[in-house]
Amino acid sequence: MKGPAPFNPPPELGDVLWCRFPEVEGIGPGPKPRPCIVVWISDAPAPGYPFRIRVVYGTSSFKGSPRPTEFDIDPIAYPAAYRQAGLSEPTRFNLLKTVVVNFDDMFFAAAPNGRGLPSGPTPRLGSLHPSRYRALQDANAAVVEKGARSPRR
């Protein structure tokens, strides 16, 4: 029986990926893919093993203004960021919801926008636009201030 297949090359910091974000870390993939942002990547693994990455949860199902630990990417307020992220709906990212998962086909699915590499489809939707870096940093600082977790690499 063959296990999950690693994706290569590894993602880059700030990549927006199509992830089966786990409902409980360490248990297994979630039921449906959703956008996430890469905020940490492990050192190179042994051949045949996947990179480990920390990703931030994204959802298009939200109401009201973001909390200090969240930030939005939407086509009205941030049109360039929305295009670069490859999103199809306004999306809120929640820095209180991050997990470390394997960068493999168990946790990630081919991006629905058809983007890919010459070698085939990848889970990459796009990337975080520089105009939203500060929002990500501020949300992470709010998480650290709450004492919810220590700062990540």
Side-chain angles (χ1 to χ4, degrees):
M1 182 171 170
K2 188 178 175 189
F7 279 106
N8 278 301
E12 295 180 12
L13 293 175
D15 274 355
V16 178
L17 303 176
W18 198 232
C19 178
R20 293 182 194 96
F21 197 94
E23 293 175 350
V24 178
E25 187 169 16
I27 300 297
K32 69 174 192 167
R34 60 181 62 253
C36 68
I37 297 175
V38 177
V39 294
W40 174 80
I41 304 167
S42 69
D43 292 334
Y49 289 88
F51 279 83
R52 302 273 294 158
I53 63 175
R54 177 171 294 279
V55 293
V56 176
Y57 177 88
T59 182
S60 61
S61 204
F62 60 89
K63 294 179 182 166
S65 299
R67 295 181 177 117
T69 57
E70 302 170 335
F71 73 96
D72 297 344
I73 299 178
D74 71 74
I76 305 300
Y78 307 101
Y82 184 76
R83 282 190 305 277
Q84 185 168 320
L87 299 168
S88 60
E89 296 181 54
T91 303
R92 177 164 292 164
F93 294 94
N94 183 348
L95 274 286
L96 282 175
K97 291 185 177 182
T98 68
V99 294
V100 175
V101 294
N102 290 336
F103 187 54
D104 61 26
D105 62 4
M106 181 164 74
F107 286 98
F108 295 89
N113 60 11
R115 293 184 184 176
L117 300 172
S119 60
T122 73
R124 187 175 190 274
L125 291 164
S127 62
L128 186 64
H129 191 271
S131 68
R132 301 309 290 148
Y133 285 162
R134 182 59 189 247
L136 181 129
Q137 290 171 331
D138 289 349
N140 189 61
V143 169
V144 172
E145 188 175 297
K146 285 180 93 160
R149 64 175 164 82
S150 60
R152 298 292 175 201
R153 298 175 221 186

